[in-house]
Structures are given as structure tokens and as C-alpha cells.
Amino acid sequence: MTVAQAPLLEMTGIDKTFPGVKALQRVDFRLFPGEIHTLMGQNGAGKSTLINVLTGVFEHDAGEIRLGGEPVRFATPLEAEAAGIRTLYQEVNLCPNLSVAENIFAGRQPVKRGAIDWKTIHTRAREALANLNISLDVTRSLDAYPIAVQQMVAIARAVSVDARVLILDEPTSSLDDGEVARLFAVLRQLKASGIAILFVTHFLEQTYAVSDRITVMRNGEREGEYLARDLPVDQLVAKMTGHERMTERLKGGVSDVSNLSRKDNGFAPFVSLQGVGRRGLMNPFDLDVRPGQILGLAGLLGSGRTETARLVFGADRADTGTIQVDRKNVKIRSPRDAVRHGIAYCPEDRKKEGIVAELSIRENIVLALQARRGWWRMLSRARQREIADDYIERLGIKARDAEQPLGLLSGGNQQKVLLARWLATEPRMLILDEPTRGIDVAAKFEIMDRVLALCAKGLAILFISSEVSEVVRVSHRIAVLRDRRKVAEISSDTSSGDAPLSEAQVYRLIAGGES
């Protein structure tokens, strides 16, 4: 990118209003060929709305969009694609019942002698994945692979076609460090070829690893545009949040976990698993989750993090081992059993397994509590609203009111509603699988502060994140997983002479080294 270049894409004075909400106000944005431009902002800042206006999902109320110097106004995403704008959204929007190859080439299958050329499709699909250093059986159904692999397939689809503009909305939210590095290598190749890349992320390190420029949005307005090299991370956070307080907290870590005692509290495990496993899913493992402690699960993609959580919660039934709750042997054959024993679970894929987008915020929040009470003990509408309003305020959920359909909220606010659903049941143990996936910095503060406060009051927490740094930062103990087996467990009881937990130590164990 050179300073003298004209923008390939330019949005000027963009306004967009929904009933009761000004989503965008006089927003300017420009994107140059051969650059990676990151769009930053808290949940609800207007990032997704701006992208949806650009790609024809929403029609803007005012302003102008120019592509290659010519005014454009896309009525549908297909029109935007035809003009050379390709978009990869945060949630994997593929067809799980189709094969990997069919998903990569859906709508543009090569034809030979009047029939689909399957040999060519399979070859090209393998080549598209090879560009990301991924080897898969492209003839297998997409739903045979975990969500992180599905995300890489979506990325392969997005970058396998000629495009003038490539929009990536939270493409790394389910990827581990290795996948992120491979994706960034591909993005740099595309950038070198002259493609303009609009990158949306909540990960600060990734922003500075790959960005040429950064545009910051706040409350539906553009706060400013900056060269990445001229915007220190503390200033970026302050501009995103509008609060200098966040800058100080960032310097001290995402959450005030340092104020919690690292010492083993001596409590008996609330949940204890001995030799629990499932053939073909997870090798037998032992695990203790204690009241007032956070047990982190660390491992690379495919190590068994989510599989472990699902076995604990009964979403997948174990075929070996025993489970104890409060020192008593129990059978957890289903999530209903787990909830009855005081175990709650926020899953990784909130869109598929968590939220009910068509229901209101109120209905989503009281869902688990009502299910536990039974439908013969219905919560009154007034009591439901009281509970929902309480958690909207406590978790800082940005919404018009509790009756707003959950599907209209940003991803971060949906995650807060999902957390509120389980907190409303007053669980004794909470399983959090990627709770900060797709969440901005301020929302991470809010969510993790609430979780840590509950932990300090005795809640047992099983915490999963693909960010090893985050696992290290919040955990009292860490179980390290590799190839669907538990390979080590480390703690940081500094009063007993243990060294503080470190990323290097975890990565060494993941790689097969000694602690």
C-alpha cells in the first residue's frame, strides 16, 4: 500500500437505524488494495452492521459506498459477491450435511460433459486446504469434524476464489495458535497479490500481528483511523472503551485474578472423575474440580478439550470410569442429570448449542431455570422479567429491553445472555467452553470479573480456551491435553513452593516435554 493510492473501497457518511437503535451514525471507512485493515470496537459498536451494509444484508439510510471509484448499492450479498467482495462471517455458515469439498465449491461446481466434475472438485478442495496446511478427507461430511476444523473449511472457501475485497469477521475465534499462524501466512500472500482485506477481531495480539491500519468504532460512530504502528495497545483499548480505567486494567491483565489466592483451598472436589472416557471420543482420564477454584483445560485443536466438557456434562455419555459429586457416586447420562446435580455448561458453539435466537432475552435467560423447576411450577411473567432485568444490568447486556429477540443482539451480548441463563440456576459448578470467543476486550473484563467473583464465593469452574495465555491467567490448576488424553496437570500453589504457571510450561507439556 502506498500513500498515493486511491481507496479500492470507500464508505462515506453511512447511517443505519433500527427501531429504537441508531446502529451507525455518519461512519466513514476506506480500504486500500494490498492492505490488511482491522476494524476494532466493543460488542455493539457497529462493526457487524457496517459489514452488513457493505455486503447488501442491510440497506443503509444515508451515505455513499464506492468500489473502484464507482458508486455501488448492493441489494443482496450475491450482488456484493458478483462485484468481488467475499465475506467470511464469525459463525460458520456452511452446510453440515454436505461434504467438505461440496461446501468449499457450493454454487460454483466445475462441470464436465454436462455433469458435476467430482474428481476436479475433490482435487481443488484438497489444494485449497493445503494452502492452509490442512489435510482432510474432503469427501467426509462437514459435521464429522469439530467446529474449529469447520472454521478452517469456511476460510478455505473464502480464499479459494478470486476476490477484490476479502472480509473476515472473527475468523480465528475457534482456532489455536498454529491455525492462526497458517491463516495469517495466507492473508499476507493475498495482501501481496493486491487483495484488500478487511479483518475484524477482538484479539489484540492478532490485530498487531497482521494489521497495516486500524479503524476504531464506538457506539455506532467511527472514533478514528490509525496506522497500526502508531497506535499503542493501551491507547487502542482506551479509544475502544472510552475509559482510561480499561487501559490500567489491561496492563494488569484481563481480569483481577491476581487478587485470588493461588493456594490450594483444601476443599474436597465437588466433581471427581476417575478413568472417565468414551471409546473413539476421549481416552480415560482423571479430573477433580474443586469449589472456589478454576481448573483450566489447555491443549491444541483436537486435543479433547470440548470432548472432556461434554463428558462431564453428560452431553456425551461416558462408557468407562466413575463420576462423584460431593463424594457420592452418580450417573450422569444426560445434561438433565448434570443440571440436577448443580452443573451448568456454556458450550463453545453458542449459535448451534446455546442460544434460541427466535426467543426473547427474557425467555432465553429463564430457560434452564424453568426446565429445572419443571413446567408444573411455572415462573410468573413478572418473575421472569425481574430475573432477566437483573442479569441485563449485572452483565451489562446491551439491548432495548428484555423482550428483544436474542438473535438481534451482537455475538458478545448473546454470550452474556447464555452465561446469565446458567447463573440464574445458581449452579455449584460452571463449565465455560470458549466463553470469550468473539468477545471484545471490555466484554471479557465484564464476563471474567463476574466469573472470578463467583469463584471467590465457592463456585467450581472448568474453564476452556484456545488462548493458552488466557487459561494461564485465570486458572488455579491446569490439566494439559494432547491427542484426546490428559498428559499432565500443573498447579501454582506458591505457598508450597510451586512456580507460577506460565505459557512456556504449558506449551512444553503440550509438545511432549516435562513440566
Side-chain angles (χ1 to χ4, degrees):
M1 184 188 76
T2 63
V3 175
Q5 276 183 311
L8 173 61
L9 171 72
E10 192 165 19
M11 306 175 75
T12 307
I14 301 297
D15 283 359
K16 179 62 185 176
T17 301
F18 298 104
V21 178
K22 285 189 175 182
L24 297 174
Q25 301 181 65
R26 304 175 303 280
V27 175
D28 296 339
F29 179 80
R30 56 181 186 159
L31 184 63
F32 290 86
E35 76 158 345
I36 300 176
H37 191 145
T38 300
L39 194 59
M40 297 290 289
Q42 298 187 62
N43 291 106
K47 305 185 300 296
S48 294
T49 303
L50 187 67
I51 290 173
N52 285 333
V53 165
L54 169 61
T55 57
V57 176
F58 299 147
E59 183 177 1
H60 50 291
D61 303 326
E64 183 181 53
I65 303 174
R66 288 180 171 268
L67 182 64
E70 298 295 325
V72 294
R73 195 179 187 98
F74 303 122
T76 67
L78 287 177
E79 289 186 10
E81 287 190 7
I85 300 177
R86 301 289 303 186
T87 306
L88 174 66
Y89 295 99
Q90 174 181 343
E91 307 290 354
V92 178
N93 291 312
L94 298 178
C95 300
N97 59 312
L98 299 181
S99 71
V100 169
E102 287 173 305
N103 272 283
I104 293 176
F105 286 95
R108 51 192 179 92
Q109 300 93 334
V111 175
K112 185 176 183 180
R113 295 172 184 160
I116 294 176
D117 186 353
W118 290 109
K119 182 178 180 180
T120 299
I121 286 178
H122 293 157
T123 299
R124 291 183 181 176
R126 282 189 286 268
E127 291 172 350
L129 291 167
N131 289 332
L132 297 174
N133 291 324
I134 296 174
S135 177
L136 297 177
D137 181 353
V138 298
T139 66
R140 289 187 69 189
S141 175
L142 183 68
D143 60 9
Y145 295 101
I147 186 69
V149 174
Q150 295 181 31
Q151 186 83 317
M152 295 300 286
V153 171
I155 293 168
R157 172 177 168 79
V159 302
S160 65
V161 297
D162 292 332
R164 302 169 71 187
V165 174
L166 179 61
I167 302 172
L168 301 173
D169 188 359
E170 294 288 350
T172 64
S173 54
S174 293
L175 307 182
D176 62 30
D177 293 343
E179 276 74 37
V180 170
R182 287 196 286 272
L183 172 62
F184 284 2
V186 171
L187 294 186
R188 293 185 184 104
Q189 293 173 8
L190 296 172
K191 166 187 165 182
S193 70
I195 292 178
I197 300 172
L198 171 54
F199 185 60
V200 181
T201 185
H202 290 119
F203 298 125
L204 297 175
E205 290 182 2
Q206 293 179 13
T207 297
Y208 286 94
V210 77
S211 304
D212 296 300
R213 284 184 305 132
I214 299 170
T215 287
V216 180
M217 294 189 65
R218 188 170 73 235
N219 298 328
E221 299 182 0
R222 190 189 81 156
E223 192 281 335
E225 176 192 293
Y226 310 90
L227 290 173
R229 64 173 180 265
D230 295 337
L231 183 64
V233 64
D234 57 342
Q235 291 184 25
L236 170 60
V237 174
K239 292 178 185 298
M240 288 169 54
T241 62
H243 298 292
E244 292 298 327
R245 166 177 166 268
M246 291 298 182
T247 302
E248 294 304 315
R249 292 177 67 183
L250 184 70
K251 293 176 180 177
V254 169
S255 298
D256 297 325
V257 71
S258 58
N259 293 331
L260 293 179
S261 172
R262 291 286 193 179
K263 184 177 180 180
D264 190 332
N265 55 26
F267 293 161
F270 172 63
V271 170
S272 182
L273 298 91
Q274 295 94 33
V276 169
R278 180 181 172 91
R279 188 176 295 104
L281 185 74
M282 189 71 191
N283 288 286
F285 62 91
D286 298 342
L287 206 66
D288 288 342
V289 189
R290 300 176 182 275
Q293 283 195 352
I294 298 176
L295 173 63
L297 295 185
L300 302 181
L301 177 65
S303 62
R305 299 174 314 218
T306 294
E307 289 81 357
T308 299
R310 289 177 62 85
L311 286 171
V312 174
F313 192 62
D316 292 317
R317 189 181 297 185
D319 55 21
T320 64
T322 59
I323 300 177
Q324 289 188 338
V325 175
D326 271 343
R327 302 185 184 183
K328 297 178 181 178
N329 288 350
V330 299
K331 298 290 185 183
I332 299 183
R333 300 185 177 90
S334 69
R336 178 177 295 181
D337 291 339
V339 171
R340 190 172 65 251
H341 288 296
I343 302 173
Y345 176 37
C346 291
E348 174 188 11
D349 190 347
R350 62 173 173 266
K351 184 176 181 181
K352 182 178 178 182
E353 300 177 344
I355 69 168
V356 184
E358 297 79 11
L359 297 184
S360 68
I361 297 169
R362 168 183 57 80
E363 291 168 316
N364 270 276
I365 288 178
V366 303
L367 193 61
L369 178 59
Q370 184 63 73
R372 192 179 70 177
R373 288 170 58 92
W375 299 113
W376 58 92
R377 297 174 58 208
M378 290 291 294
L379 290 163
S380 69
R381 179 70 172 261
R383 178 56 180 153
Q384 291 181 28
R385 186 62 184 260
E386 181 182 352
I387 293 170
D389 287 344
D390 180 42
Y391 279 102
I392 287 173
E393 179 180 356
R394 288 162 65 179
L395 296 182
I397 298 169
K398 294 183 179 178
R400 183 180 65 247
D401 56 41
E403 301 308 316
Q404 188 172 357
L406 183 55
L408 298 181
L409 270 59
S410 66
N413 284 300
Q414 291 176 2
Q415 185 72 21
K416 291 181 185 179
V417 170
L418 185 57
L419 179 61
R421 174 192 298 169
W422 290 111
L423 293 182
T425 68
E426 298 183 344
R428 297 183 62 190
M429 174 176 161
L430 181 61
I431 304 171
L432 297 171
D433 192 352
E434 299 286 2
T436 60
R437 173 180 173 234
I439 302 297
D440 62 67
V441 175
K444 283 187 179 183
F445 290 152
E446 295 166 2
I447 289 176
M448 292 312 299
D449 278 354
R450 179 61 180 164
V451 168
L452 290 167
L454 291 167
C455 177
K457 293 179 180 179
L459 185 67
I461 297 175
L462 183 62
F463 180 80
I464 303 169
S465 174
S466 57
E467 295 183 75
V468 171
S469 59
E470 188 169 49
V471 176
V472 169
R473 187 164 52 242
V474 305
S475 301
H476 299 87
R477 295 180 294 126
I478 297 176
V480 182
L481 308 179
R482 184 176 67 245
D483 298 331
R484 300 195 177 186
R485 67 176 70 245
K486 177 183 170 184
V487 296
E489 183 173 313
I490 53 178
S491 65
S492 184
D493 182 359
T494 53
S495 67
S496 299
D498 291 346
L501 297 170
S502 70
E503 291 182 62
Q505 182 184 18
V506 173
Y507 278 120
R508 189 162 55 246
L509 290 167
I510 289 174
E514 300 294 330
S515 60

XYZ file of all heavy atoms in Angstrom, residues 84-130:
371
model
N -17.044 -8.872 -6.479
C -15.713 -9.222 -5.996
C -15.504 -9.052 -4.509
O -14.362 -9.011 -4.042
N -16.601 -8.958 -3.730
C -16.491 -8.831 -2.270
C -16.895 -10.159 -1.639
O -18.054 -10.579 -1.734
C -17.393 -7.708 -1.734
C -16.984 -6.368 -2.353
C -17.322 -7.636 -0.206
C -17.870 -5.209 -1.944
N -15.951 -10.833 -1.011
C -16.201 -12.127 -0.364
C -16.156 -11.942 1.144
O -15.289 -11.244 1.679
C -15.145 -13.150 -0.774
C -15.065 -13.426 -2.263
C -16.256 -14.209 -2.754
N -16.412 -15.461 -2.035
C -17.316 -16.381 -2.354
N -18.152 -16.180 -3.363
N -17.406 -17.501 -1.669
N -17.092 -12.579 1.848
C -17.206 -12.404 3.293
C -17.207 -13.745 4.005
O -17.919 -14.667 3.606
C -18.503 -11.651 3.653
O -18.555 -10.420 2.930
C -18.556 -11.353 5.155
N -16.394 -13.836 5.042
C -16.411 -14.981 5.952
C -16.893 -14.484 7.299
O -16.237 -13.670 7.942
C -15.011 -15.591 6.087
C -14.868 -16.700 7.124
C -15.684 -17.916 6.715
C -13.412 -17.080 7.312
N -18.064 -14.961 7.734
C -18.662 -14.475 8.969
C -18.125 -15.233 10.174
O -17.558 -16.317 10.058
C -20.183 -14.582 8.900
C -20.792 -13.682 7.849
C -21.155 -14.182 6.596
C -20.964 -12.320 8.092
C -21.695 -13.349 5.622
C -21.502 -11.482 7.136
C -21.863 -12.002 5.898
O -22.387 -11.174 4.942
N -18.368 -14.632 11.361
C -17.870 -15.207 12.612
C -18.426 -16.609 12.836
O -17.689 -17.532 13.164
C -18.267 -14.300 13.778
C -17.922 -14.863 15.137
C -18.350 -13.942 16.259
O -18.622 -12.771 16.040
N -18.415 -14.469 17.461
N -19.731 -16.776 12.681
C -20.327 -18.091 12.842
C -20.177 -18.866 11.538
O -20.319 -18.318 10.448
C -21.817 -17.966 13.210
C -22.088 -17.077 14.416
C -21.620 -17.696 15.714
O -21.183 -18.864 15.710
O -21.685 -17.007 16.751
N -19.879 -20.152 11.631
C -19.674 -20.970 10.441
C -21.020 -21.190 9.750
O -21.882 -21.899 10.253
C -19.036 -22.328 10.810
C -18.884 -23.194 9.571
C -17.682 -22.097 11.474
N -21.193 -20.548 8.600
C -22.451 -20.661 7.863
C -22.262 -21.573 6.653
O -22.307 -21.136 5.506
C -22.938 -19.276 7.421
C -23.389 -18.426 8.593
O -24.147 -18.900 9.430
N -22.914 -17.205 8.672
N -22.012 -22.840 6.931
C -21.864 -23.834 5.884
C -22.973 -24.871 6.029
O -23.831 -24.758 6.903
C -20.480 -24.487 5.973
C -19.278 -23.558 5.775
C -17.975 -24.330 5.932
C -19.315 -22.878 4.423
N -22.944 -25.871 5.175
C -23.971 -26.923 5.201
C -23.365 -28.174 5.823
O -22.598 -28.885 5.147
C -24.467 -27.211 3.789
S -25.205 -25.780 2.978
N -23.666 -28.452 7.087
C -23.008 -29.563 7.782
C -23.308 -30.927 7.181
O -22.526 -31.859 7.362
C -23.543 -29.458 9.217
C -24.807 -28.670 9.097
C -24.604 -27.732 7.958
N -24.414 -31.061 6.465
C -24.769 -32.364 5.889
C -24.059 -32.643 4.575
O -24.091 -33.758 4.065
C -26.279 -32.448 5.677
C -26.790 -31.361 4.746
O -26.450 -30.191 4.917
N -27.608 -31.729 3.769
N -23.389 -31.627 4.002
C -22.639 -31.812 2.764
C -21.181 -32.127 3.080
O -20.700 -31.901 4.184
C -22.722 -30.563 1.885
C -24.114 -30.142 1.409
C -24.023 -28.903 0.527
C -24.807 -31.274 0.673
N -20.465 -32.635 2.094
C -19.048 -32.959 2.286
C -18.223 -31.689 2.379
O -18.676 -30.585 2.029
C -18.549 -33.817 1.131
O -18.464 -33.044 -0.056
N -16.992 -31.834 2.828
C -16.066 -30.706 2.891
C -15.900 -30.093 1.504
O -15.972 -28.873 1.325
C -14.704 -31.162 3.452
C -13.659 -30.064 3.280
C -14.829 -31.567 4.918
N -15.678 -30.941 0.497
C -15.477 -30.446 -0.874
C -16.708 -29.715 -1.385
O -16.600 -28.662 -2.033
C -15.119 -31.602 -1.798
N -17.889 -30.268 -1.112
C -19.125 -29.622 -1.578
C -19.295 -28.257 -0.933
O -19.780 -27.307 -1.570
C -20.321 -30.516 -1.255
C -20.419 -31.745 -2.138
C -21.522 -32.682 -1.681
O -21.515 -33.094 -0.502
O -22.404 -33.001 -2.505
N -18.911 -28.115 0.321
C -19.012 -26.821 0.987
C -18.051 -25.807 0.379
O -18.396 -24.636 0.212
C -18.735 -26.976 2.485
C -19.992 -27.296 3.270
O -20.808 -26.417 3.522
N -20.160 -28.566 3.632
N -16.855 -26.231 0.065
C -15.871 -25.305 -0.498
C -16.309 -24.795 -1.865
O -16.100 -23.632 -2.217
C -14.483 -25.967 -0.564
C -13.938 -26.208 0.855
C -13.495 -25.115 -1.361
C -12.613 -26.935 0.901
N -16.968 -25.660 -2.651
C -17.319 -25.283 -4.030
C -18.823 -25.161 -4.255
O -19.278 -25.172 -5.404
C -16.716 -26.296 -5.015
C -15.239 -26.129 -5.178
C -14.360 -26.893 -4.431
C -14.726 -25.173 -6.034
C -12.989 -26.728 -4.555
C -13.351 -24.985 -6.157
C -12.477 -25.773 -5.418
N -19.599 -25.015 -3.192
C -21.046 -24.871 -3.335
C -21.375 -23.663 -4.207
O -20.863 -22.558 -4.001
C -21.706 -24.720 -1.964
N -22.217 -23.883 -5.211
C -22.636 -22.804 -6.099
C -21.695 -22.516 -7.242
O -21.995 -21.685 -8.106
N -20.568 -23.168 -7.290
C -19.593 -22.944 -8.378
C -18.859 -24.247 -8.717
O -17.657 -24.268 -8.930
C -18.612 -21.843 -7.993
C -17.958 -22.031 -6.628
C -17.220 -20.777 -6.169
N -16.631 -20.969 -4.859
C -15.395 -21.405 -4.652
N -14.605 -21.684 -5.675
N -14.925 -21.550 -3.432
N -19.640 -25.325 -8.787
C -19.059 -26.625 -9.092
C -18.628 -26.697 -10.560
O -19.394 -26.314 -11.446
C -20.072 -27.748 -8.812
C -20.555 -27.827 -7.380
C -21.829 -27.056 -7.128
O -22.119 -26.088 -7.834
N -22.597 -27.481 -6.138
N -17.420 -27.159 -10.818
C -16.996 -27.357 -12.211
C -17.800 -28.483 -12.858
O -18.159 -29.466 -12.206
C -15.511 -27.729 -12.079
C -15.352 -28.227 -10.688
C -16.353 -27.496 -9.852
N -18.098 -28.307 -14.124
C -18.926 -29.259 -14.856
C -18.137 -29.835 -16.028
O -17.366 -29.132 -16.685
C -20.216 -28.584 -15.370
C -21.031 -29.544 -16.233
C -21.046 -28.070 -14.200
N -18.342 -31.131 -16.260
C -17.685 -31.795 -17.386
C -18.713 -32.670 -18.092
O -19.332 -33.539 -17.468
C -16.519 -32.642 -16.866
C -15.690 -33.284 -17.957
C -14.490 -34.014 -17.337
C -13.583 -34.618 -18.392
N -12.432 -35.327 -17.785
N -18.899 -32.396 -19.375
C -19.868 -33.137 -20.190
C -21.272 -33.115 -19.569
O -21.960 -34.127 -19.505
C -19.414 -34.575 -20.400
C -18.125 -34.681 -21.209
C -17.613 -36.080 -21.241
N -16.317 -36.150 -21.932
C -15.450 -37.139 -21.790
N -15.737 -38.152 -20.977
N -14.313 -37.141 -22.458
N -21.651 -31.953 -19.060
C -22.990 -31.771 -18.547
C -23.226 -32.297 -17.153
O -24.351 -32.231 -16.641
N -22.203 -32.808 -16.496
C -22.338 -33.337 -15.141
C -21.268 -32.727 -14.236
O -20.222 -32.257 -14.709
C -22.214 -34.856 -15.135
N -21.548 -32.731 -12.928
C -20.574 -32.187 -11.974
C -19.292 -33.012 -12.024
O -19.326 -34.246 -11.977
C -21.156 -32.192 -10.547
C -22.343 -31.225 -10.459
C -20.094 -31.819 -9.517
C -23.049 -31.223 -9.109
N -18.165 -32.333 -12.110
C -16.859 -32.991 -12.187
C -16.324 -33.211 -10.772
O -15.587 -32.387 -10.230
C -15.900 -32.119 -13.002
C -14.569 -32.797 -13.264
O -14.337 -33.887 -12.694
O -13.755 -32.235 -14.019
N -16.719 -34.336 -10.179
C -16.359 -34.594 -8.787
C -14.865 -34.766 -8.585
O -14.317 -34.348 -7.562
C -17.103 -35.823 -8.275
C -18.568 -35.586 -8.105
C -19.583 -36.080 -8.863
C -19.182 -34.745 -7.126
N -20.801 -35.609 -8.427
C -20.583 -34.789 -7.341
C -18.692 -33.967 -6.083
C -21.474 -34.071 -6.568
C -19.588 -33.254 -5.297
C -20.964 -33.317 -5.545
N -14.198 -35.350 -9.534
C -12.745 -35.534 -9.404
C -12.041 -34.193 -9.283
O -11.158 -34.008 -8.428
C -12.208 -36.317 -10.602
C -10.712 -36.595 -10.515
C -10.231 -37.426 -11.706
C -8.726 -37.698 -11.625
N -8.250 -38.501 -12.777
N -12.445 -33.244 -10.123
C -11.836 -31.915 -10.070
C -12.188 -31.199 -8.764
O -11.340 -30.540 -8.150
C -12.301 -31.064 -11.263
O -11.886 -31.701 -12.476
C -11.711 -29.663 -11.211
N -13.447 -31.338 -8.329
C -13.862 -30.700 -7.076
C -13.015 -31.213 -5.909
O -12.520 -30.428 -5.090
C -15.362 -30.960 -6.812
C -16.213 -30.105 -7.739
C -15.712 -30.661 -5.357
C -17.695 -30.335 -7.583
N -12.841 -32.524 -5.830
C -12.072 -33.098 -4.718
C -10.607 -32.663 -4.779
O -9.999 -32.352 -3.739
C -12.178 -34.624 -4.747
C -13.560 -35.117 -4.457
N -14.030 -36.350 -4.865
C -14.608 -34.530 -3.791
C -15.281 -36.499 -4.470
N -15.652 -35.411 -3.819
N -10.052 -32.617 -5.982
C -8.652 -32.197 -6.135
C -8.485 -30.743 -5.712
O -7.565 -30.400 -4.957
C -8.196 -32.377 -7.584
O -8.290 -33.753 -7.943
C -6.758 -31.897 -7.758
N -9.363 -29.874 -6.195
C -9.249 -28.454 -5.876
C -9.531 -28.186 -4.395
O -8.936 -27.283 -3.800
C -10.206 -27.643 -6.752
C -9.801 -27.609 -8.226
C -10.754 -26.736 -9.029
N -10.403 -26.693 -10.433
C -11.120 -26.070 -11.370
N -12.242 -25.438 -11.019
N -10.745 -26.074 -12.628
N -10.438 -28.950 -3.810
C -10.716 -28.785 -2.378
C -9.479 -29.138 -1.550
O -9.140 -28.436 -0.592
C -11.899 -29.649 -1.969
N -8.822 -30.248 -1.920
C -7.593 -30.615 -1.200
C -6.531 -29.540 -1.366
O -5.800 -29.220 -0.413
C -7.088 -31.963 -1.706
C -7.857 -33.167 -1.152
C -7.192 -34.481 -1.495
N -7.379 -34.832 -2.903
C -8.372 -35.575 -3.361
N -9.288 -36.056 -2.532
N -8.467 -35.848 -4.648
N -6.442 -28.945 -2.559
C -5.459 -27.888 -2.795
C -5.777 -26.641 -1.970
O -4.873 -26.007 -1.404
C -5.428 -27.537 -4.282
C -4.842 -28.632 -5.168
C -4.995 -28.326 -6.657
O -5.730 -27.351 -6.977
O -4.404 -29.052 -7.473
N -7.078 -26.289 -1.871
C -7.469 -25.112 -1.091
C -7.118 -25.294 0.385
O -6.648 -24.356 1.042
C -8.968 -24.860 -1.249
N -7.320 -26.502 0.896
C -6.970 -26.777 2.286
C -5.463 -26.870 2.477
O -4.937 -26.459 3.517
C -7.645 -28.069 2.744
C -9.167 -27.999 2.886
C -9.768 -29.393 3.025
C -9.548 -27.153 4.101
N -4.772 -27.394 1.472
C -3.311 -27.493 1.561
C -2.677 -26.112 1.687
O -1.629 -25.958 2.328
C -2.762 -28.227 0.343
